[in-house]
Coordinates of all heavy atoms in Angstrom, one line a residue:
L13 N 0.8 -1.2 0.0 CA 0.0 0.0 0.0 C 0.9 1.3 0.0 O 0.4 2.3 0.5 CB -0.9 0.0 1.2 CG -1.9 -1.2 1.4 CD1 -2.6 -1.1 2.7 CD2 -2.8 -1.3 0.2
D14 N 2.1 1.2 -0.5 CA 3.0 2.3 -0.5 C 2.4 3.5 -1.1 O 1.9 3.4 -2.3 CB 4.3 1.9 -1.2 CG 5.0 0.7 -0.5 OD1 5.5 0.9 0.6 OD2 5.0 -0.4 -1.1
G15 N 2.5 4.6 -0.4 CA 2.0 5.9 -1.0 C 0.5 6.1 -0.8 O 0.0 7.2 -1.2
Q16 N -0.2 5.2 -0.3 CA -1.7 5.3 -0.2 C -2.0 6.0 1.1 O -1.3 6.0 2.1 CB -2.3 4.0 -0.3 CG -2.2 3.3 -1.6 CD -3.2 2.1 -1.8 OE1 -4.2 2.1 -1.1 NE2 -2.9 1.2 -2.7
I17 N -3.2 6.6 1.1 CA -3.8 7.2 2.3 C -5.0 6.4 2.8 O -5.9 6.2 2.0 CB -4.3 8.7 2.0 CG1 -3.1 9.5 1.4 CG2 -4.8 9.3 3.3 CD1 -1.9 9.6 2.3
A18 N -4.9 5.9 4.0 CA -5.9 5.0 4.5 C -6.5 5.6 5.8 O -5.8 5.9 6.7 CB -5.3 3.6 4.9
V19 N -7.8 5.8 5.7 CA -8.6 6.4 6.9 C -9.2 5.2 7.6 O -9.9 4.4 7.0 CB -9.7 7.4 6.4 CG1 -10.6 7.7 7.6 CG2 -9.0 8.6 5.8
V20 N -9.0 5.2 8.9 CA -9.6 4.1 9.8 C -10.4 4.8 10.8 O -9.9 5.4 11.8 CB -8.6 3.2 10.4 CG1 -9.2 2.1 11.2 CG2 -7.6 2.6 9.3
T21 N -11.7 4.7 10.7 CA -12.6 5.3 11.8 C -12.6 4.4 13.0 O -12.5 3.1 12.8 CB -14.0 5.6 11.3 OG1 -14.7 4.3 11.1 CG2 -14.0 6.4 10.0
G22 N -12.7 4.9 14.2 CA -12.5 4.1 15.4 C -11.2 3.4 15.4 O -11.0 2.3 15.9
G23 N -10.2 4.1 14.9 CA -8.9 3.5 14.7 C -8.1 3.4 16.0 O -7.0 2.8 15.9
S24 N -8.6 3.8 17.1 CA -7.9 3.6 18.3 C -8.5 2.5 19.1 O -8.0 2.1 20.2 CB -7.9 4.9 19.2 OG -9.2 5.2 19.5
G25 N -9.5 1.8 18.6 CA -10.2 0.7 19.3 C -9.6 -0.6 19.1 O -8.5 -0.7 18.5
L26 N -10.2 -1.7 19.6 CA -9.7 -3.0 19.5 C -9.3 -3.4 18.1 O -8.1 -3.6 17.8 CB -10.7 -4.0 20.1 CG -10.8 -4.1 21.7 CD1 -12.0 -5.0 22.1 CD2 -9.5 -4.6 22.3
Y27 N -10.3 -3.6 17.3 CA -10.0 -3.9 15.9 C -9.4 -2.8 15.1 O -8.6 -2.9 14.2 CB -11.2 -4.5 15.2 CG -11.4 -6.0 15.2 CD1 -12.6 -6.5 15.5 CD2 -10.3 -6.8 14.9 CE1 -12.8 -7.9 15.6 CE2 -10.5 -8.2 15.0 CZ -11.7 -8.7 15.3 OH -11.9 -10.1 15.3
G28 N -9.8 -1.6 15.5 CA -9.3 -0.4 14.7 C -7.8 -0.2 14.8 O -7.2 0.0 13.7
L29 N -7.2 -0.4 15.9 CA -5.8 -0.2 16.0 C -5.1 -1.3 15.2 O -4.0 -1.0 14.6 CB -5.4 -0.2 17.5 CG -3.9 0.0 17.7 CD1 -3.4 1.3 17.2 CD2 -3.6 -0.1 19.2
L30 N -5.6 -2.5 15.3 CA -5.0 -3.6 14.5 C -5.0 -3.3 13.0 O -4.1 -3.6 12.3 CB -5.7 -4.9 14.8 CG -5.6 -5.4 16.3 CD1 -6.4 -6.7 16.5 CD2 -4.2 -5.6 16.8
I31 N -6.2 -2.8 12.6 CA -6.3 -2.5 11.1 C -5.4 -1.4 10.7 O -4.8 -1.4 9.7 CB -7.8 -2.2 10.8 CG1 -8.7 -3.5 11.0 CG2 -7.9 -1.7 9.4 CD1 -10.1 -3.2 11.0
A32 N -5.3 -0.4 11.6 CA -4.5 0.8 11.3 C -3.0 0.3 11.2 O -2.3 0.7 10.3 CB -4.6 1.8 12.4
R33 N -2.6 -0.5 12.1 CA -1.2 -1.1 12.1 C -1.0 -1.9 10.8 O 0.1 -1.7 10.2 CB -1.0 -1.9 13.4 CG 0.4 -2.6 13.4 CD 0.7 -3.4 14.6 NE 0.9 -2.5 15.7 CZ 0.1 -2.5 16.8 NH1 -0.9 -3.3 16.9 NH2 0.4 -1.7 17.8
A34 N -2.0 -2.7 10.4 CA -1.8 -3.5 9.2 C -1.6 -2.6 8.0 O -0.7 -2.8 7.2 CB -3.0 -4.4 9.1
M35 N -2.4 -1.5 7.9 CA -2.3 -0.6 6.8 C -0.9 0.0 6.8 O -0.3 0.2 5.7 CB -3.4 0.4 6.8 CG -4.8 -0.1 6.8 SD -5.2 -0.8 5.2 CE -6.8 -1.4 5.5
G36 N -0.5 0.5 8.0 CA 0.8 1.1 8.1 C 2.0 0.1 7.7 O 2.9 0.5 7.0
E37 N 1.9 -1.1 8.2 CA 2.9 -2.1 7.9 C 3.0 -2.4 6.4 O 4.1 -2.8 5.9 CB 2.7 -3.3 8.7 CG 3.0 -3.1 10.2 CD 2.6 -4.3 11.1 OE1 1.9 -5.2 10.6 OE2 3.0 -4.4 12.3

């Protein structure tokens, strides 16, 4: 996903943080 912008709503919650981390990784 290099160069992409990913918005994660509820991104600090249980699944949200995991999804945000996955997108970043």
